[in-house]
Amino acid sequence: MVIAGILVAARSAPAEKRQFLSVGTAPPGGAFFVVGSAIAQVVSENQADRGWIVSAEATKGTQENIRRLSKGELEFALANAAISYFAVRGEGAWKQKHSIQTVMTLAPNVALFITPKRSGVKRIADLKEKRVVVGPAGAGFEYFLKPILAAHGVAYEDFTPLHNTQSGAVDMLADGSAAAAFLGGAVPTASILQACASQDIHFIPYQEAAKQRLFDDYPFFNAATIPAATYRNQNEPFNGVNVGAMHLITSADVDEETVYHFTKILYEHHADVAEIHPAGKAINPKNVVKHTGTPFHPGAIRYYKDVGIWPE
């Protein structure tokens, strides 16, 4: 085994046959970095004699990954499907359409507002006039947060949005400098585990009618349940929302053969990814071909058709 995130090469491959492949992830400390590093490691270790030199790169996350794919600075990257949805359409803060394509849909990103029980915040509507952590600056959380808030009759202008990392958000909840925070990722999420371990935490529920509007309007939103006892003092299942699955993307300019074989290696050795992070369990026949609003790369489609899992 190798240390995740370092360069791994097929040592026997002649120099002229080597191909450098970079996988964009996110800052260390989150699931994207660990899963992206695991993907690079597993593909490297099972590439046979293809001569690939695969590296996992720590980045600022989805938005940077999409921009760097478009510039040819990365070959593959992890991204939030909600942000990708708007990037390929050139909508929101994106000034142009980005020619990114899906390789496979990975684990759901189950996110929610949490608050200390002492705050008195019970519903999303109660966030008005409060100080609320909405994610790291520049991370792109607004792409899925604004629709969620709007479905509940709340806008960014109704509260004071604060920017911090997930671990920093937990500290702000603890010292009272924030009333609530929007946290999530693959389940269980480390930041929510941290918050629940040290505080009495209330999971702010989504309204059922609001959830249905989100599911009807956007292909990247869907239902996701956090099982009971996932977090300390969480005695009942929490009926949440997948706010944009983690997915593996590439540029439309990456050649079909590279994407085909990268997909094949990763799919056939998914159990090795799952040994490193539970999100690897999402690499299964039903999940990887889920459409989230970003078109699939022809190389990935070709492989999925070969193994009979592509939905016609």
Side-chain angles (χ1 to χ4, degrees):
M1 298 295 286
V2 297
I3 298 174
I6 67 173
L7 295 177
V8 188
R11 297 179 181 177
S12 59
E16 64 272 14
K17 290 187 177 182
R18 291 177 186 166
Q19 181 180 4
F20 291 85
L21 301 176
S22 295
V23 181
T25 63
F32 272 36
F33 179 78
V34 179
V35 175
S37 297
I39 287 171
Q41 175 178 321
V42 168
V43 172
S44 297
E45 292 178 345
N46 295 283
Q47 64 172 299
D49 59 353
R50 300 201 66 80
W52 287 348
I53 300 175
V54 187
S55 63
E57 292 191 32
T59 69
K60 293 180 181 179
T62 297
Q63 294 193 100
E64 179 183 335
N65 290 344
I66 290 171
R67 294 188 181 101
R68 292 184 64 190
L69 282 171
S70 297
K71 294 177 181 178
E73 297 174 359
L74 297 169
E75 285 68 44
F76 297 92
L78 291 181
N80 176 281
I83 301 174
S84 300
Y85 174 90
F86 292 105
V88 297
R89 290 161 177 77
E91 296 177 359
W94 298 101
K95 303 303 182 185
Q96 63 186 55
K97 295 180 181 180
H98 289 263
S99 57
I100 56 168
Q101 296 180 333
T102 300
V103 176
M104 62 175 59
T105 302
L106 297 170
N109 177 21
V110 184
L112 68 155
F113 287 101
I114 69 169
T115 183
K117 288 184 178 179
R118 66 179 184 277
S119 75
V121 175
K122 301 296 184 184
R123 308 169 302 154
I124 290 178
D126 296 336
L127 297 176
K128 293 179 179 180
E129 300 182 1
K130 300 292 193 299
R131 292 166 56 85
V132 182
V133 185
V134 295
F141 280 27
E142 64 273 13
Y143 284 101
F144 45 83
L145 248 180
K146 286 186 176 180
I148 289 171
L149 290 167
H152 290 82
V154 180
Y156 262 47
E157 294 74 21
D158 294 331
F159 59 84
T160 302
L162 307 173
H163 295 285
N164 210 329
T165 63
Q166 294 210 38
S167 60
V170 174
D171 293 337
M172 295 182 78
L173 294 178
D175 66 21
S177 55
F182 191 73
L183 303 177
V187 178
T189 302
S191 58
I192 300 178
L193 285 169
Q194 178 188 352
C196 292
S198 58
Q199 305 173 62
D200 289 328
I201 292 295
H202 171 60
F203 288 11
I204 302 176
Y206 293 101
Q207 293 177 359
E208 289 303 316
K211 285 197 299 183
Q212 192 56 54
R213 284 195 292 274
L214 293 171
F215 301 159
D216 291 342
D217 292 344
Y218 300 97
F220 52 80
F221 282 126
N222 51 70
T225 299
I226 300 174
T230 298
Y231 302 106
R232 187 177 74 91
N233 292 334
Q234 182 212 343
N235 299 320
E236 301 290 337
F238 180 81
N239 297 317
V241 174
N242 174 7
V243 300
M246 177 194 306
H247 67 160
L248 181 65
I249 60 175
T250 188
S251 167
D253 294 331
V254 175
D255 68 275
E256 184 176 322
E257 285 301 310
T258 296
V259 176
Y260 176 90
H261 289 287
F262 197 99
T263 306
K264 181 178 189 292
I265 294 166
L266 182 55
Y267 185 81
E268 292 179 352
H269 298 276
H270 63 274
D272 296 335
V273 179
E275 286 185 3
I276 299 170
H277 193 284
K281 295 177 182 178
I283 305 177
N284 61 63
K286 182 179 179 181
N287 192 70
V288 293
V289 295
K290 280 183 179 177
H291 178 62
T292 59
T294 300
F296 276 77
H297 191 283
I301 294 173
R302 190 178 117 208
Y303 175 72
Y304 296 138
K305 285 184 175 180
D306 283 354
V307 295
I309 64 172
W310 181 253
E312 296 296 344

